[in-house]
Amino acid sequence: MSQFLMPSLGADMEAGTLVERLADPGDTVSRGDVIAAVETQKGVIEIEVYEDGTLAEWLVSIGEAVPVGTPLAEILKPGEPAVEPSGPRAARQPSAEPAGTSAPAPQILPKAGAGAHPRVRATPAARRLAARLGLDLKSLEHDPNRPIYRADVPAHPNRPEPASPLDMRAAISAAMARSKREIPHYYLSHTADMTPLEDFLTGVNADRPPQDRILAAAAYVKAVAVAARKYPEFNGSFSDGSFQPAETAHVGLAVRLRGGGLVAPALFDPAAQSLDALMRAIRDQVARVRAGRFKAKELTGATITLSSLGDRGVDRLYGVIYPPQVAIVGIGTPALRPWVYQDKVMPRRTACLTLSADHRASDGHRGALFLNEIGRALQNPEAL
Amino acid sequence: MTADCEVILTEELRRIAPEIAVESIDRTADLREEFDIDSIDFLNFVAALGQRLGLEMPEADYPEFHSFDALSAYLQKRV
Protein backbone atom coordinates (compact mmCIF):
# COMPACT_ATOMS: atom_id res chain seq x y z
CA MET A 1 0.00 0.00 0.00
CA SER A 2 1.34 3.40 -0.84
CA GLN A 3 -0.02 6.89 -1.13
CA PHE A 4 -0.45 9.14 -4.13
CA LEU A 5 0.40 12.63 -2.89
CA MET A 6 -0.45 16.19 -3.88
CA PRO A 7 2.86 16.98 -5.64
CA SER A 8 4.94 20.12 -5.34
CA LEU A 9 4.94 21.74 -8.77
CA GLY A 10 7.52 24.40 -8.12
CA ALA A 11 8.96 26.21 -5.15
CA ASP A 12 6.06 28.65 -4.99
CA MET A 13 3.32 26.08 -4.67
CA GLU A 14 1.86 25.45 -1.21
CA ALA A 15 -1.45 23.85 -2.07
CA GLY A 16 -3.53 22.60 -4.96
CA THR A 17 -7.14 21.71 -5.64
CA LEU A 18 -8.10 18.26 -6.88
CA VAL A 19 -10.33 18.94 -9.89
CA GLU A 20 -10.45 15.60 -11.70
CA ARG A 21 -10.12 11.94 -10.81
CA LEU A 22 -9.19 10.08 -13.96
CA ALA A 23 -9.17 6.57 -12.47
CA ASP A 24 -11.69 4.74 -10.30
CA PRO A 25 -11.13 2.50 -7.29
CA GLY A 26 -10.25 -0.97 -8.58
CA ASP A 27 -8.60 0.35 -11.76
CA THR A 28 -5.14 -0.95 -12.61
CA VAL A 29 -2.67 1.92 -12.90
CA SER A 30 0.83 1.93 -14.38
CA ARG A 31 3.75 4.20 -13.71
CA GLY A 32 3.33 7.27 -15.92
CA ASP A 33 -0.49 7.12 -16.16
CA VAL A 34 -2.24 10.42 -15.59
CA ILE A 35 -4.76 9.66 -12.86
CA ALA A 36 -5.69 13.10 -11.55
CA ALA A 37 -5.77 16.77 -12.44
CA VAL A 38 -4.93 19.47 -9.94
CA GLU A 39 -5.62 23.17 -10.23
CA THR A 40 -2.83 25.55 -9.24
CA GLN A 41 -2.03 29.17 -9.92
CA LYS A 42 -0.52 28.10 -13.22
CA GLY A 43 -3.54 26.24 -14.50
CA VAL A 44 -4.77 22.69 -14.50
CA ILE A 45 -1.92 20.23 -14.11
CA GLU A 46 -2.20 16.55 -14.95
CA ILE A 47 -0.61 14.35 -12.32
CA GLU A 48 1.03 11.03 -13.06
CA VAL A 49 1.26 8.04 -10.79
CA TYR A 50 4.82 6.87 -10.10
CA GLU A 51 4.26 3.17 -9.59
CA ASP A 52 2.31 0.21 -10.87
CA GLY A 53 -0.63 -1.06 -8.89
CA THR A 54 -4.34 -0.79 -8.30
CA LEU A 55 -6.14 2.32 -7.17
CA ALA A 56 -7.65 1.40 -3.80
CA GLU A 57 -9.41 4.55 -2.74
CA TRP A 58 -9.61 8.29 -3.25
CA LEU A 59 -8.93 10.25 -0.06
CA VAL A 60 -9.73 13.78 -1.23
CA SER A 61 -12.92 14.92 -2.88
CA ILE A 62 -13.23 16.92 -6.09
CA GLY A 63 -12.89 20.63 -5.43
CA GLU A 64 -10.94 20.18 -2.21
CA ALA A 65 -7.83 22.35 -1.80
CA VAL A 66 -5.11 20.56 0.15
CA PRO A 67 -1.47 21.34 0.99
CA VAL A 68 1.44 19.84 -0.91
CA GLY A 69 2.20 16.35 0.40
CA THR A 70 -1.37 15.45 1.31
CA PRO A 71 -2.30 11.89 0.27
CA LEU A 72 -4.83 12.08 -2.57
CA ALA A 73 -5.33 8.36 -3.06
CA GLU A 74 -4.12 4.97 -1.92
CA ILE A 75 -2.46 2.61 -4.37
CA LEU A 76 -2.19 -1.14 -3.80
CA LYS A 77 0.99 -2.74 -5.11
CA PRO A 78 0.55 -5.44 -7.77
CA GLY A 79 -0.61 -8.63 -6.06
CA GLU A 80 -1.32 -6.88 -2.78
CA PRO A 81 -4.77 -7.91 -1.60
CA ALA A 82 -7.41 -5.25 -1.17
CA VAL A 83 -7.83 -4.65 2.54
CA GLU A 84 -10.91 -3.67 4.43
CA PRO A 85 -11.07 0.07 4.92
CA SER A 86 -10.74 -0.18 8.70
CA GLY A 87 -7.00 -0.95 8.91
CA PRO A 88 -5.47 1.49 6.41
CA ARG A 89 -8.06 4.13 7.13
CA ALA A 90 -6.93 4.28 10.73
CA ALA A 91 -3.33 4.47 9.57
CA ARG A 92 -3.84 7.35 7.19
CA GLN A 93 -6.15 9.31 9.41
CA PRO A 94 -3.50 11.54 11.00
CA SER A 95 -2.08 12.76 7.71
CA ALA A 96 -5.24 13.00 5.65
CA GLU A 97 -7.60 14.40 8.20
CA PRO A 98 -5.93 17.71 9.08
CA ALA A 99 -5.05 18.28 5.47
CA GLY A 100 -8.48 17.48 4.17
CA THR A 101 -11.52 19.21 5.43
CA SER A 102 -11.20 20.56 8.92
CA ALA A 103 -7.97 22.49 9.32
CA PRO A 104 -7.50 25.93 7.80
CA ALA A 105 -4.87 24.65 5.39
CA PRO A 106 -2.74 27.17 3.50
CA GLN A 107 -4.71 27.89 0.36
CA ILE A 108 -3.05 29.89 -2.36
CA LEU A 109 -5.98 29.80 -4.71
CA PRO A 110 -8.74 31.16 -2.49
CA LYS A 111 -6.39 33.89 -1.32
CA ALA A 112 -5.65 35.03 -4.84
CA GLY A 113 -9.36 35.09 -5.58
CA ALA A 114 -10.22 36.83 -2.36
CA GLY A 115 -7.95 39.74 -3.19
CA ALA A 116 -9.83 40.46 -6.36
CA HIS A 117 -13.32 39.94 -4.96
CA PRO A 118 -13.31 40.72 -1.28
CA ARG A 119 -16.91 39.76 -0.53
CA VAL A 120 -17.24 36.13 -1.61
CA ARG A 121 -14.49 33.58 -1.06
CA ALA A 122 -14.23 31.23 -4.00
CA THR A 123 -11.56 29.39 -5.93
CA PRO A 124 -10.58 30.85 -9.30
CA ALA A 125 -12.01 27.79 -11.03
CA ALA A 126 -15.34 28.34 -9.31
CA ARG A 127 -15.30 32.02 -10.22
CA ARG A 128 -14.56 31.37 -13.84
CA LEU A 129 -17.15 28.65 -14.16
CA ALA A 130 -19.77 30.81 -12.46
CA ALA A 131 -18.84 33.78 -14.63
CA ARG A 132 -19.13 31.73 -17.78
CA LEU A 133 -22.47 30.32 -16.74
CA GLY A 134 -23.67 33.77 -15.76
CA LEU A 135 -24.20 32.75 -12.11
CA ASP A 136 -23.81 35.07 -9.16
CA LEU A 137 -21.47 33.42 -6.64
CA LYS A 138 -23.41 34.98 -3.79
CA SER A 139 -26.49 33.08 -4.90
CA LEU A 140 -24.82 29.68 -4.48
CA GLU A 141 -25.40 27.61 -1.39
CA HIS A 142 -22.21 26.54 0.32
CA ASP A 143 -20.55 26.16 3.68
CA PRO A 144 -19.69 29.73 4.76
CA ASN A 145 -16.61 28.44 6.61
CA ARG A 146 -14.80 27.57 3.42
CA PRO A 147 -14.43 29.07 -0.06
CA ILE A 148 -16.80 28.12 -2.86
CA TYR A 149 -15.22 25.34 -4.88
CA ARG A 150 -15.78 24.56 -8.50
CA ALA A 151 -17.77 21.51 -7.43
CA ASP A 152 -20.24 23.84 -5.69
CA VAL A 153 -21.09 25.48 -9.00
CA PRO A 154 -23.77 23.50 -10.85
CA ALA A 155 -23.43 22.16 -14.39
CA HIS A 156 -19.79 21.16 -14.67
CA PRO A 157 -18.32 21.50 -18.13
CA ASN A 158 -15.61 18.98 -19.05
CA ARG A 159 -13.15 21.39 -20.56
CA PRO A 160 -10.69 22.81 -18.05
CA GLU A 161 -10.36 26.56 -17.92
CA PRO A 162 -6.99 28.30 -18.14
CA ALA A 163 -5.72 29.94 -14.98
CA SER A 164 -7.00 33.48 -14.65
CA PRO A 165 -4.61 36.35 -15.45
CA LEU A 166 -4.58 37.38 -11.79
CA ASP A 167 -3.38 33.97 -10.56
CA MET A 168 -0.88 33.78 -13.38
CA ARG A 169 0.48 37.22 -12.51
CA ALA A 170 0.83 36.20 -8.87
CA ALA A 171 2.78 33.08 -9.83
CA ILE A 172 5.07 35.05 -12.17
CA SER A 173 5.60 37.75 -9.53
CA ALA A 174 6.63 35.23 -6.91
CA ALA A 175 9.07 33.38 -9.15
CA MET A 176 10.60 36.47 -10.78
CA ALA A 177 10.93 38.42 -7.52
CA ARG A 178 12.72 35.45 -6.02
CA SER A 179 14.96 35.23 -9.07
CA LYS A 180 15.96 38.90 -8.90
CA ARG A 181 16.41 38.69 -5.13
CA GLU A 182 18.56 35.55 -5.08
CA ILE A 183 20.26 35.10 -8.42
CA PRO A 184 23.25 37.25 -9.40
CA HIS A 185 22.51 37.43 -13.11
CA TYR A 186 25.07 38.31 -15.74
CA TYR A 187 24.16 39.03 -19.35
CA LEU A 188 25.76 38.38 -22.74
CA SER A 189 24.64 38.94 -26.30
CA HIS A 190 25.80 37.66 -29.66
CA THR A 191 24.56 38.33 -33.20
CA ALA A 192 24.29 35.29 -35.46
CA ASP A 193 23.53 34.88 -39.16
CA MET A 194 20.19 33.06 -39.43
CA THR A 195 20.17 32.92 -43.24
CA PRO A 196 21.39 29.28 -43.33
CA LEU A 197 18.57 28.25 -40.99
CA GLU A 198 16.01 30.21 -42.99
CA ASP A 199 17.18 28.65 -46.26
CA PHE A 200 17.20 25.19 -44.71
CA LEU A 201 13.64 25.52 -43.39
CA THR A 202 12.39 27.00 -46.67
CA GLY A 203 13.79 23.95 -48.49
CA VAL A 204 12.43 21.42 -45.99
CA ASN A 205 8.98 22.98 -45.82
CA ALA A 206 8.48 23.67 -49.55
CA ASP A 207 6.75 20.37 -50.32
CA ARG A 208 5.17 19.76 -46.97
CA PRO A 209 1.58 20.31 -45.90
CA PRO A 210 1.30 22.94 -43.15
CA GLN A 211 0.89 20.43 -40.32
CA ASP A 212 4.27 18.83 -41.16
CA ARG A 213 6.26 22.06 -41.45
CA ILE A 214 9.11 22.86 -39.09
CA LEU A 215 9.40 26.25 -37.41
CA ALA A 216 12.63 27.92 -36.37
CA ALA A 217 11.65 27.41 -32.70
CA ALA A 218 12.36 23.67 -33.03
CA ALA A 219 15.88 24.41 -34.26
CA TYR A 220 16.46 26.93 -31.45
CA VAL A 221 15.38 24.41 -28.82
CA LYS A 222 17.61 21.72 -30.23
CA ALA A 223 20.61 24.05 -30.59
CA VAL A 224 20.31 25.03 -26.92
CA ALA A 225 20.05 21.41 -25.82
CA VAL A 226 23.03 20.33 -27.92
CA ALA A 227 25.19 23.22 -26.67
CA ALA A 228 24.16 22.52 -23.06
CA ARG A 229 25.71 19.05 -23.32
CA LYS A 230 29.09 20.64 -23.87
CA TYR A 231 28.62 23.38 -21.24
CA PRO A 232 26.97 21.63 -18.28
CA GLU A 233 27.27 24.63 -15.94
CA PHE A 234 24.28 26.24 -17.68
CA ASN A 235 22.04 23.22 -17.37
CA GLY A 236 20.70 22.17 -13.98
CA SER A 237 19.52 23.68 -10.74
CA PHE A 238 20.92 25.75 -7.91
CA SER A 239 19.56 24.76 -4.53
CA ASP A 240 20.79 24.44 -0.95
CA GLY A 241 23.78 26.60 -1.71
CA SER A 242 25.20 24.61 -4.58
CA PHE A 243 24.76 23.94 -8.26
CA GLN A 244 23.67 20.49 -9.39
CA PRO A 245 24.22 19.91 -13.11
CA ALA A 246 21.48 17.92 -14.84
CA GLU A 247 22.40 14.78 -16.75
CA THR A 248 20.16 15.63 -19.68
CA ALA A 249 19.06 19.00 -21.04
CA HIS A 250 15.29 19.46 -20.85
CA VAL A 251 14.51 22.81 -22.41
CA GLY A 252 11.64 24.91 -21.10
CA LEU A 253 10.18 26.83 -24.04
CA ALA A 254 8.50 30.07 -22.94
CA VAL A 255 4.94 30.16 -24.26
CA ARG A 256 2.91 33.34 -24.09
CA LEU A 257 -0.70 32.94 -23.07
CA ARG A 258 -3.55 34.94 -24.50
CA GLY A 259 -5.03 37.09 -21.80
CA GLY A 260 -1.66 37.59 -20.12
CA GLY A 261 1.21 35.68 -18.61
CA LEU A 262 3.55 33.02 -19.83
CA VAL A 263 4.77 29.58 -18.89
CA ALA A 264 7.84 27.61 -19.93
CA PRO A 265 7.01 23.90 -19.80
CA ALA A 266 9.80 21.39 -20.46
CA LEU A 267 10.51 19.67 -23.73
CA PHE A 268 12.29 16.46 -22.79
CA ASP A 269 15.76 15.73 -24.15
CA PRO A 270 15.47 17.69 -27.42
CA ALA A 271 19.09 16.79 -28.28
CA ALA A 272 17.98 13.19 -28.79
CA GLN A 273 15.01 14.08 -31.03
CA SER A 274 14.74 14.81 -34.73
CA LEU A 275 13.48 18.27 -35.64
CA ASP A 276 10.26 16.65 -36.87
CA ALA A 277 9.64 14.88 -33.57
CA LEU A 278 10.55 18.01 -31.65
CA MET A 279 8.18 20.11 -33.75
CA ARG A 280 5.33 17.69 -33.03
CA ALA A 281 6.13 17.88 -29.33
CA ILE A 282 6.12 21.69 -29.43
CA ARG A 283 2.79 21.86 -31.27
CA ASP A 284 1.19 19.40 -28.90
CA GLN A 285 2.53 21.22 -25.87
CA VAL A 286 1.55 24.71 -27.00
CA ALA A 287 -1.98 23.53 -27.81
CA ARG A 288 -2.37 22.02 -24.34
CA VAL A 289 -0.77 24.94 -22.55
CA ARG A 290 -3.02 27.45 -24.30
CA ALA A 291 -5.99 25.34 -23.20
CA GLY A 292 -4.67 25.63 -19.63
CA ARG A 293 -3.55 22.03 -19.36
CA PHE A 294 -0.07 20.79 -18.41
CA LYS A 295 1.55 17.60 -17.32
CA ALA A 296 3.14 17.85 -13.89
CA LYS A 297 6.56 16.81 -15.12
CA GLU A 298 6.48 19.55 -17.77
CA LEU A 299 6.17 22.22 -15.08
CA THR A 300 9.06 21.01 -12.96
CA GLY A 301 11.24 19.20 -15.47
CA ALA A 302 13.02 22.02 -17.32
CA THR A 303 16.76 22.37 -16.68
CA ILE A 304 17.25 25.51 -18.82
CA THR A 305 14.82 27.95 -20.46
CA LEU A 306 14.57 29.34 -23.98
CA SER A 307 12.58 32.45 -24.81
CA SER A 308 12.14 33.39 -28.45
CA LEU A 309 10.51 36.65 -29.53
CA GLY A 310 9.31 35.09 -32.79
CA ASP A 311 9.10 37.03 -36.02
CA ARG A 312 6.95 39.97 -34.85
CA GLY A 313 9.14 41.15 -31.99
CA VAL A 314 12.17 43.36 -31.38
CA ASP A 315 15.93 42.92 -31.63
CA ARG A 316 16.74 41.29 -28.32
CA LEU A 317 15.51 40.22 -24.91
CA TYR A 318 17.37 39.49 -21.71
CA GLY A 319 15.42 36.86 -19.80
CA VAL A 320 14.99 36.54 -16.05
CA ILE A 321 16.19 33.13 -14.86
CA TYR A 322 13.44 30.81 -13.63
CA PRO A 323 14.62 29.42 -10.27
CA PRO A 324 16.10 26.97 -9.49
CA GLN A 325 17.48 26.96 -13.04
CA VAL A 326 20.71 28.82 -13.75
CA ALA A 327 20.35 30.10 -17.31
CA ILE A 328 17.88 31.43 -19.85
CA VAL A 329 18.65 31.89 -23.54
CA GLY A 330 16.86 34.61 -25.52
CA ILE A 331 16.43 34.78 -29.29
CA GLY A 332 15.51 38.15 -30.76
CA THR A 333 13.43 38.63 -33.88
CA PRO A 334 15.47 37.73 -36.97
CA ALA A 335 15.61 40.63 -39.45
CA LEU A 336 17.42 41.56 -42.65
CA ARG A 337 20.47 43.60 -41.68
CA PRO A 338 23.77 44.53 -43.31
CA TRP A 339 26.27 41.78 -42.57
CA VAL A 340 29.73 40.91 -43.77
CA TYR A 341 29.41 37.61 -45.64
CA GLN A 342 32.27 36.17 -47.69
CA ASP A 343 34.15 39.51 -47.46
CA LYS A 344 31.22 41.57 -48.77
CA VAL A 345 28.60 43.59 -46.97
CA MET A 346 25.30 41.91 -47.80
CA PRO A 347 21.75 41.89 -46.53
CA ARG A 348 21.49 38.77 -44.37
CA ARG A 349 18.85 37.67 -41.88
CA THR A 350 20.48 37.96 -38.48
CA ALA A 351 19.26 37.54 -34.93
CA CYS A 352 20.60 38.57 -31.57
CA LEU A 353 21.09 35.67 -29.17
CA THR A 354 21.34 36.47 -25.46
CA LEU A 355 22.23 34.59 -22.34
CA SER A 356 21.25 35.49 -18.78
CA ALA A 357 23.15 33.20 -16.45
CA ASP A 358 23.69 32.67 -12.72
CA HIS A 359 27.12 33.84 -11.52
CA ARG A 360 26.97 31.30 -8.70
CA ALA A 361 27.20 28.53 -11.30
CA SER A 362 29.30 30.01 -14.12
CA ASP A 363 31.35 32.96 -15.36
CA GLY A 364 31.01 35.21 -18.39
CA HIS A 365 33.90 33.55 -20.20
CA ARG A 366 32.18 30.18 -20.25
CA GLY A 367 28.88 31.90 -20.95
CA ALA A 368 30.38 33.42 -24.07
CA LEU A 369 31.60 30.02 -25.26
CA PHE A 370 28.16 28.54 -24.58
CA LEU A 371 26.36 31.28 -26.49
CA ASN A 372 28.84 30.97 -29.35
CA GLU A 373 28.17 27.24 -29.48
CA ILE A 374 24.41 27.86 -29.83
CA GLY A 375 25.06 30.33 -32.64
CA ARG A 376 27.37 27.86 -34.36
CA ALA A 377 24.82 25.04 -34.15
CA LEU A 378 22.30 27.29 -35.92
CA GLN A 379 24.79 27.92 -38.75
CA ASN A 380 24.69 24.25 -39.56
CA PRO A 381 20.99 23.34 -39.38
CA GLU A 382 21.36 20.15 -41.44
CA ALA A 383 23.26 18.65 -38.51
CA LEU A 384 20.50 19.42 -36.02
CA MET B 1 -18.18 31.34 -52.59
CA THR B 2 -17.01 34.79 -51.52
CA ALA B 3 -19.12 34.68 -48.38
CA ASP B 4 -18.10 31.10 -47.56
CA CYS B 5 -14.40 31.85 -47.60
CA GLU B 6 -14.85 34.82 -45.31
CA VAL B 7 -17.03 32.80 -42.94
CA ILE B 8 -14.43 30.04 -42.72
CA LEU B 9 -11.61 32.54 -42.33
CA THR B 10 -13.50 34.33 -39.57
CA GLU B 11 -14.28 31.05 -37.80
CA GLU B 12 -10.66 29.94 -37.81
CA LEU B 13 -9.46 33.33 -36.58
CA ARG B 14 -11.98 33.20 -33.76
CA ARG B 15 -10.70 29.76 -32.78
CA ILE B 16 -7.17 31.14 -32.37
CA ALA B 17 -7.95 34.64 -31.10
CA PRO B 18 -11.38 34.40 -29.46
CA GLU B 19 -10.98 37.73 -27.68
CA ILE B 20 -10.58 39.75 -30.89
CA ALA B 21 -13.67 40.64 -32.94
CA VAL B 22 -13.13 40.52 -36.68
CA GLU B 23 -15.34 43.61 -37.02
CA SER B 24 -12.89 45.60 -34.89
CA ILE B 25 -9.71 44.98 -36.90
CA ASP B 26 -8.11 46.79 -39.80
CA ARG B 27 -8.68 44.35 -42.66
CA THR B 28 -5.80 45.74 -44.68
CA ALA B 29 -3.22 45.75 -41.87
CA ASP B 30 -0.82 42.91 -40.91
CA LEU B 31 -3.05 39.94 -40.11
CA ARG B 32 -0.74 38.44 -37.47
CA GLU B 33 -0.34 41.74 -35.67
CA GLU B 34 -4.06 42.54 -35.79
CA PHE B 35 -4.89 39.16 -34.21
CA ASP B 36 -1.66 38.84 -32.21
CA ILE B 37 -0.89 35.45 -33.73
CA ASP B 38 2.50 33.84 -33.05
CA SER B 39 4.27 31.50 -35.45
CA ILE B 40 2.84 28.29 -33.94
CA ASP B 41 -0.71 29.61 -33.93
CA PHE B 42 -0.20 30.83 -37.49
CA LEU B 43 0.95 27.36 -38.53
CA ASN B 44 -2.15 25.82 -36.93
CA PHE B 45 -4.34 28.46 -38.58
CA VAL B 46 -2.88 27.85 -42.05
CA ALA B 47 -3.16 24.07 -41.56
CA ALA B 48 -6.83 24.40 -40.55
CA LEU B 49 -7.67 26.60 -43.54
CA GLY B 50 -5.83 24.23 -45.88
CA GLN B 51 -7.68 21.22 -44.54
CA ARG B 52 -11.12 22.82 -44.64
CA LEU B 53 -10.72 24.25 -48.13
CA GLY B 54 -8.56 21.53 -49.66
CA LEU B 55 -5.65 23.88 -50.37
CA GLU B 56 -1.92 23.31 -50.03
CA MET B 57 -1.19 26.77 -48.61
CA PRO B 58 2.54 26.62 -49.50
CA GLU B 59 4.97 28.72 -47.48
CA ALA B 60 6.02 30.48 -50.67
CA ASP B 61 2.51 32.02 -50.77
CA TYR B 62 2.71 33.39 -47.20
CA PRO B 63 3.36 36.96 -48.43
CA GLU B 64 -0.15 36.83 -49.93
CA PHE B 65 -1.59 36.12 -46.46
CA HIS B 66 -0.40 39.45 -45.08
CA SER B 67 -3.81 40.93 -44.27
CA PHE B 68 -7.36 39.72 -43.74
CA ASP B 69 -8.47 41.09 -47.11
CA ALA B 70 -5.42 39.70 -48.94
CA LEU B 71 -5.89 36.22 -47.47
CA SER B 72 -9.60 36.32 -48.18
CA ALA B 73 -8.90 37.21 -51.82
CA TYR B 74 -6.25 34.47 -52.01
CA LEU B 75 -8.71 31.87 -50.78
CA GLN B 76 -11.51 33.03 -53.07
CA LYS B 77 -9.25 32.79 -56.09
CA ARG B 78 -8.43 29.16 -55.36
CA VAL B 79 -11.53 27.56 -53.89
Side-chain angles (χ1 to χ4, degrees):
Chain A
M1 175 82 68
S2 65
Q3 292 177 320
F4 175 66
L5 306 177
M6 172 67 75
S8 172
L9 303 165
D12 313 314
M13 175 171 165
E14 294 169 23
T17 303
L18 182 69
V19 292
E20 281 176 30
R21 298 164 168 178
L22 300 167
D24 293 319
D27 284 358
T28 303
V29 297
S30 308
R31 182 184 160 85
D33 287 355
V34 171
I35 66 165
V38 167
E39 172 139 11
T40 73
Q41 287 174 308
K42 289 174 179 165
V44 177
I45 318 295
E46 295 180 338
I47 311 295
E48 296 170 9
V49 62
Y50 283 98
E51 61 205 311
D52 298 332
T54 304
L55 181 71
E57 185 183 9
W58 284 102
L59 305 174
V60 167
S61 45
I62 297 279
E64 210 175 310
V66 296
V68 166
T70 304
L72 299 176
E74 280 180 344
I75 311 279
L76 293 168
K77 292 187 172 60
E80 187 179 352
V83 272
E84 289 306 309
S86 58
R89 185 175 294 279
R92 75 172 166 82
Q93 214 68 314
S95 59
E97 199 56 26
T101 47
S102 54
Q107 287 170 342
I108 296 173
L109 302 180
K111 245 189 280 172
H117 304 270
R119 286 183 301 282
V120 184
R121 287 168 69 224
T123 65
R127 282 186 192 286
R128 283 194 298 281
L129 181 56
R132 210 173 42 158
L133 298 172
L135 296 172
D136 182 353
L137 284 173
K138 280 175 282 191
S139 72
L140 297 175
E141 285 186 23
H142 73 287
D143 179 351
N145 295 319
R146 63 166 177 79
I148 298 172
Y149 298 130
R150 185 181 166 127
D152 296 325
V153 181
H156 257 221
N158 286 327
R159 197 168 167 272
E161 289 294 294
S164 79
L166 273 179
D167 302 333
M168 176 64 72
R169 191 52 56 197
I172 292 172
S173 301
M176 296 297 98
R178 178 182 156 200
S179 175
K180 286 284 183 169
R181 197 165 55 237
E182 296 178 4
I183 302 178
H185 289 62
Y186 68 87
Y187 307 94
L188 302 170
S189 82
H190 175 62
T191 302
D193 185 0
M194 293 294 188
T195 315
L197 178 62
E198 188 189 27
D199 291 347
F200 169 74
L201 293 178
T202 301
V204 166
N205 291 338
D207 301 323
R208 294 184 174 205
Q211 60 272 19
D212 293 338
R213 289 175 196 158
I214 298 173
L215 296 175
Y220 301 156
V221 168
K222 186 150 184 190
V224 168
V226 168
R229 277 179 172 171
K230 204 167 160 185
Y231 295 93
E233 62 266 60
F234 301 95
N235 182 54
S237 61
F238 191 97
S239 50
D240 301 327
S242 70
F243 170 64
Q244 286 91 34
E247 281 184 17
T248 313
H250 303 307
V251 179
L253 178 62
V255 176
R256 171 187 65 98
L257 300 177
R258 286 195 171 267
L262 79 164
V263 287
L267 293 156
F268 292 93
D269 199 5
Q273 297 185 52
S274 67
L275 288 183
D276 281 311
L278 195 49
M279 190 63 215
R280 280 193 297 275
I282 292 172
R283 284 188 68 188
D284 167 66
Q285 188 175 74
V286 170
R288 282 184 294 107
V289 165
R290 294 231 161 106
R293 186 124 201 156
F294 308 81
K295 294 179 176 140
K297 62 177 185 178
E298 289 174 331
L299 266 193
T300 52
T303 55
I304 183 168
T305 296
L306 170 68
S307 181
S308 164
L309 285 175
D311 43 18
R312 291 291 192 281
V314 293
D315 291 351
R316 79 191 69 187
L317 80 151
Y318 290 102
V320 180
I321 298 167
Y322 186 69
Q325 293 168 36
V326 296
I328 177 168
V329 174
I331 310 228
T333 298
L336 275 180
R337 298 183 180 94
W339 186 255
V340 177
Y341 180 72
Q342 294 180 347
D343 292 333
K344 289 198 177 67
V345 178
M346 296 177 63
R348 300 281 286 182
R349 194 162 305 274
T350 65
C352 186
L353 317 182
T354 65
L355 173 69
S356 307
D358 186 337
H359 235 320
R360 299 172 300 178
S362 66
D363 298 311
H365 171 70
R366 293 283 290 174
L369 294 174
F370 175 55
L371 199 52
N372 245 328
E373 184 71 21
I374 296 170
R376 211 165 19 241
L378 291 169
Q379 303 309 297
N380 194 9
E382 292 82 1
L384 285 176
Chain B
M1 212 59 211
T2 302
D4 283 1
C5 280
E6 279 214 11
V7 168
I8 288 172
L9 181 53
T10 305
E11 279 175 10
E12 292 303 327
L13 284 167
R14 188 172 299 137
R15 205 185 300 276
I16 282 171
E19 77 283 15
I20 295 170
V22 172
E23 303 75 44
S24 71
I25 62 132
D26 179 347
R27 294 165 61 119
T28 60
D30 186 282
L31 180 75
R32 288 185 46 186
E33 288 182 12
E34 287 297 301
F35 287 91
D36 199 4
I37 301 173
D38 70 12
S39 55
I40 290 181
D41 273 345
F42 191 67
L43 184 70
N44 289 331
F45 168 67
V46 169
L49 285 178
Q51 274 166 3
R52 284 185 70 172
L53 296 168
L55 297 174
E56 286 181 15
M57 312 289 282
E59 264 191 359
D61 290 352
Y62 277 14
E64 295 186 57
F65 306 169
H66 65 89
S67 69
F68 184 95
D69 279 352
L71 178 53
S72 179
Y74 175 92
L75 297 176
Q76 276 157 34
K77 239 187 308 180
R78 283 165 179 78
V79 172

